[in-house]
Amino acid sequence: MSENTRLVQVRQHVLKRNDTVARALRASFRAAGTYVVSLVSSPGAGKTALLEQMLGALHDRHRVAALVGDLATDNDARRLARSGAPVKQIITGTVCHLEAEMIKAALDDVPWEGLDFLFIENVGNLVCPAAFDLGEAAKVAIVSITEGDDKPLKYPDIFAVASLILVNKIDLAPYLDADVDRLIGNARRVNPDVEVLTVSARTGQGLDAWLAWLDARRIGQAA
Ligand SMILES: Nc1nc2c(ncn2[C@@H]2O[C@H](COP(=O)(O)OP(=O)(O)OP(=O)(O)O)[C@@H](O)[C@H]2O)c(=O)[nH]1
Ligand SMILES: [Mg+2]
């Protein structure tokens, strides 16, 4: 057996094991009535900034919690915990994505049953998180207008598996030569039916529409 064949087999085994854990998590979340959303993006696109806004907006009328993955530091968990919601940092060390086992283990420390929403912020990376099911109901991909309008074409997998794409940092549009329509067009080339919202974690623009999307999805899951 060649070294390459062996590597492919190991990778398939890891993904298969991940999928088994993820399927069990998804069944538990559905049974508990918890709508689980994961956020994926390149580093710095604004996952934590958007989650800070969401947790703040949802906390008074829904039971919400968040898990957040990073290679190192608990900076993001400390930012999100200011909302008052339960938050748990997952330190991945050298691993460039979250895996279903990490979510399962983290939930031992977060009282998640009875939650309306559980948010999972993945490690900032447009490649590895695409392949790993975390048991979430929806993956939300975030792309900021500072990154260039070709990112959906260069990293198609992550945009193809997203249920919603948030185009963030729209407040910076007057200062950049970003072509937001072309960015959205490129996202639709890899995921023709995907919903897209333009948002700003800084000004709050578009966040009501995202809240409405989340509420509708949660109600849809319960139906
Ligand atoms: N102007 C502007 N800045 C933003 C916006 N959203 C995020 N930022 C800034 O962008 C930087 C990165 O934001 P984060 O929320 O840390 O990004 P992230 O995706 O969580 O980053 P990682 O966790 O490191 O992958 C911070 O300085 C934010 O204040 C936005 O909508 N507008
Ligand atoms: Mg972050």
Side-chain angles (χ1 to χ4, degrees):
M1 188 187 302
S2 78
E3 194 60 22
N4 268 351
T5 313
R6 176 84 193 118
L7 271 177
V8 170
Q9 281 182 348
V10 169
R11 187 173 157 76
Q12 280 170 346
H13 176 71
V14 168
L15 285 174
K16 209 168 148 191
R17 204 182 50 201
N18 184 79
D19 283 352
T20 304
V21 178
R23 263 198 303 277
L25 283 175
R26 182 169 291 110
S28 308
F29 293 145
R30 283 188 74 101
T34 303
Y35 192 73
V36 183
V37 180
S38 73
L39 275 67
V40 287
S41 80
S42 60
K47 296 178 296 301
T48 309
L50 286 165
L51 268 186
E52 285 177 295
Q53 297 280 358
M54 273 305 108
L55 294 180
L58 287 167
H59 195 42
D60 58 349
R61 59 194 166 93
H62 287 296
R63 285 156 299 176
V64 294
L67 307 177
V68 50
D70 278 298
L71 270 64
T73 85
D74 64 353
N75 291 356
D76 283 3
R78 285 192 282 112
R79 282 169 64 188
L80 295 174
R82 286 188 214 126
S83 67
V87 178
K88 168 95 181 156
Q89 180 82 46
I90 302 170
I91 305 281
T92 62
T94 56
V95 182
C96 58
H97 57 269
L98 290 174
E99 296 184 7
E101 275 295 356
M102 298 176 192
I103 304 300
K104 191 175 164 201
L107 289 174
D108 286 345
D109 300 331
V110 176
W112 68 272
E113 284 186 41
L115 285 179
D116 298 316
F117 291 103
L118 174 67
F119 293 95
I120 303 172
E121 178 181 335
N122 215 317
V123 176
N125 186 317
L126 283 178
V127 184
C128 314
F132 287 84
D133 185 356
L134 302 179
E136 69 274 78
K139 277 186 165 70
V140 175
I142 295 149
V143 57
S144 59
I145 63 168
T146 54
E147 295 170 57
D149 56 42
D150 59 351
K151 290 303 165 289
L153 301 179
K154 286 180 155 183
Y155 304 92
D157 291 0
I158 202 95
F159 292 96
V161 295
S163 302
L164 173 69
I165 295 176
L166 299 178
V167 177
N168 191 33
K169 307 196 186 180
I170 198 68
D171 54 291
L172 297 178
Y175 314 108
L176 303 170
D177 59 0
D179 188 335
V180 177
D181 288 339
R182 185 183 305 179
L183 171 57
I184 294 172
N186 286 339
R188 291 229 161 87
R189 276 172 70 182
V190 299
N191 190 342
D193 299 323
V194 72
E195 288 183 69
V196 181
L197 297 173
T198 50
V199 298
S200 167
R202 179 64 47 85
T203 65
Q205 183 182 334
L207 296 187
D208 282 349
W210 189 26
L211 279 171
W213 184 91
L214 287 166
D215 270 330
R217 286 296 187 117
R218 188 177 70 84
I219 291 163
Q221 175 178 270

